[in-house]
Amino acid sequence: MKHINFDNKKVLIRVDFNVPLDDQLHVTDSTRIEKAIPTLKYILEQGGTLIVCTHLGRPKPSTDNAKYSTMHLKDTFSALLRKEVKFVNDCVGDVVSSAVAALKKGDVLLLENTRFYKEETEGEPEFSKQLASLADIYINDAFGTAHRAHASTTTVANYFDKYHKGFGFLMDAEVSNGLKVLHDAESPFTAIVGGAKVSDKIQLLENLIAKADNILIGGGMAYTFIKSTGGEIGKSLCENEFLELAKEILAKAGDKGCKIYLPEDSVSASVFGADAETKVVPSNTISPEWMGLDIGPLAVDAFSKVIMASKTIIWNGPMGVFEFEKFSNGTFAIAHAVAAATKNGAFSLIGGGDSVSAINKAGLEDSVSFVSTGGGAMLEMLEGKILPGVAAIQE
Ligand code: AMP
């Protein structure tokens, strides 16, 4: 974006203003709008005129229009930008072309929800072309939707040459930090992978095995691995159909010189619940009626040692059912270890929904190097996939 001349130019910017609204349709958390402000201010300071587009929620085309109108965002957006924001109740068509034609240098126009058109999620070219026709320059600052080949996030970029499109600051930070860990990681590189299911993390593990020196596996997904090596896991989460694959991943990691650590002990529970009776046991001898809901103290120690000796760390997925206090210790202890390693000079990236809420809950979001805002998008990036929204700008 820094190489583009915005002076006297109309700029179509795709942001992620998909914020929560209450019953009265007031914004209850404006974080996503706040995060886009630096990019928007920069373009205005450079003499640009802004045409801002976003999706909001998952409206069913034409039936949910009142509820999901971006008009509900206008006042919050205007207050945060400290500037008048104009609104037009469509995102393509004559009414929008007229509103755009009436803009003066430095004006800000917010378009209606792009998902009011099914063509948006279809990435439909004609709709994308209409969006593109509104502006001289296209900027994408919506990393959270960069893994979707939608019209306003991807296809629209095809109608701008490489000198007239770019990433906003948010998107740029996400992409460069993601690429840094994937292609430029200082060794030892440790990936911490947790969460509920192995099936959700297979591609992530396959990609990381080839890159990381260590992978620490926690959370519910660890038990499929433990069972695959002959462990007794009681009623812990297990995906039996993935036992073979778990074995293969362990073998493949060995071949590639990537060390996989499974939790030596677990906090096991009598039932799945906040008030369950608990006992700490070796992870491979969990009683038949019990289930592992957190990594135990030996695992915390072993994992923390590896983390403290690392120079690059990525973390995706909690170590246990951290929503329940009794089973949150492992996740928070790992959060503290990542923060301590960062203080020692490691680069740490927290990517993916629940590890982001865990680091926030631990109050450590400022003690790690980068917290990704794009759950699914960052997961796909770490899986080694090319994100369509990123590729469309780089082409
Ligand atoms: P994911 O979205 O795959 O990262 O999974 C996050 C969810 O996994 C959280 O809601 C956790 O409560 C859950 N989880 C983590 N560890 C376990 C476990 N040992 N047993 C059951 N669920 C777990």
Side-chain angles (χ1 to χ4, degrees), residues 64-104:
D64 285 339
N65 290 14
K67 188 171 164 196
Y68 292 107
S69 172
T70 54
M71 188 178 63
H72 310 309
L73 315 179
K74 183 177 164 276
D75 291 346
T76 307
F77 177 26
S78 178
L80 289 167
L81 192 62
R82 294 169 188 248
K83 195 171 169 52
E84 187 206 341
V85 170
K86 299 173 196 297
F87 174 76
V88 57
N89 63 349
D90 210 333
C91 58
V92 290
D94 291 345
V95 59
V96 181
S97 305
S98 308
V100 168
L103 292 176
K104 295 192 198 63

Side-chain angles (χ1 to χ4, degrees), residues 82-132:
R82 294 169 188 248
K83 195 171 169 52
E84 187 206 341
V85 170
K86 299 173 196 297
F87 174 76
V88 57
N89 63 349
D90 210 333
C91 58
V92 290
D94 291 345
V95 59
V96 181
S97 305
S98 308
V100 168
L103 292 176
K104 295 192 198 63
K105 180 174 178 176
D107 278 352
V108 181
L109 176 68
L110 177 64
L111 304 184
E112 184 52 284
N113 193 342
T114 51
R115 286 204 190 158
F116 282 178
Y117 286 84
K118 66 175 179 21
E119 289 83 350
E120 161 71 341
T121 47
E122 289 166 354
E124 201 272 328
E126 195 47 44
F127 174 73
S128 310
K129 201 170 163 185
Q130 284 188 60
L131 275 175

Side-chain angles (χ1 to χ4, degrees), residues 357-373:
S357 46
I359 207 91
N360 289 338
K361 231 170 146 180
L364 293 171
E365 63 274 25
D366 295 328
S367 306
V368 294
S369 310
F370 188 70
V371 180
S372 172
T373 55

Side-chain angles (χ1 to χ4, degrees), residues 14 19 46 59 71 83 99 111 128 135 145 167 179 185 191 200 208 212-213 276 278 282 299 314 320 326 329 375:
R14 176 52 156 101
V19 293
Q46 301 293 311
M71 188 178 63
K83 195 171 169 52
L111 304 184
S128 310
T145 47
F167 298 137
L179 293 177
D200 289 341
L208 292 176
D213 300 295
T278 64
I314 61 172
K326 279 190 176 176
N329 183 56

Side-chain angles (χ1 to χ4, degrees), residues 204-359:
L204 178 67
L205 290 172
E206 298 260 12
N207 193 39
L208 292 176
I209 280 170
K211 299 183 187 296
D213 300 295
N214 309 297
I215 300 181
L216 314 178
I217 298 182
M221 61 182 282
Y223 299 100
T224 302
F225 283 93
I226 292 164
K227 187 168 174 186
S228 82
T229 61
E232 303 283 344
I233 60 164
K235 287 197 165 154
S236 306
L237 265 190
C238 182
E239 290 170 280
N240 286 317
E241 61 281 26
F242 286 97
L243 286 171
E244 272 313 303
L245 195 68
K247 250 192 207 164
E248 277 170 34
I249 288 174
L250 293 176
K252 227 190 259 178
D255 295 344
K256 298 225 185 228
C258 169
K259 189 150 188 226
I260 292 195
Y261 293 77
L262 296 170
E264 189 180 336
D265 58 349
S266 290
V267 181
S268 69
S270 51
V271 287
F272 186 90
D275 300 323
E277 201 186 322
T278 64
K279 58 185 179 196
V280 173
V281 293
S283 298
N284 57 3
T285 52
I286 296 176
S287 310
E289 294 302 315
W290 289 56
M291 63 194 81
L293 294 187
D294 193 11
I295 59 172
L298 294 176
V300 165
D301 258 13
F303 284 13
S304 299
K305 280 200 184 98
V306 177
I307 291 166
M308 288 303 292
S310 301
K311 284 277 169 235
T312 306
I313 301 159
I314 61 172
W315 182 16
N316 177 290
M319 297 290 97
V321 184
F322 74 108
E323 297 91 336
F324 299 153
E325 204 192 331
K326 279 190 176 176
F327 309 106
S328 63
N329 183 56
T331 300
F332 291 137
I334 293 309
H336 281 280
V338 173
T342 311
K343 206 171 172 194
N344 274 356
F347 177 82
S348 55
L349 182 148
I350 317 299
D354 272 329
S355 21
V356 173
S357 46
I359 207 91

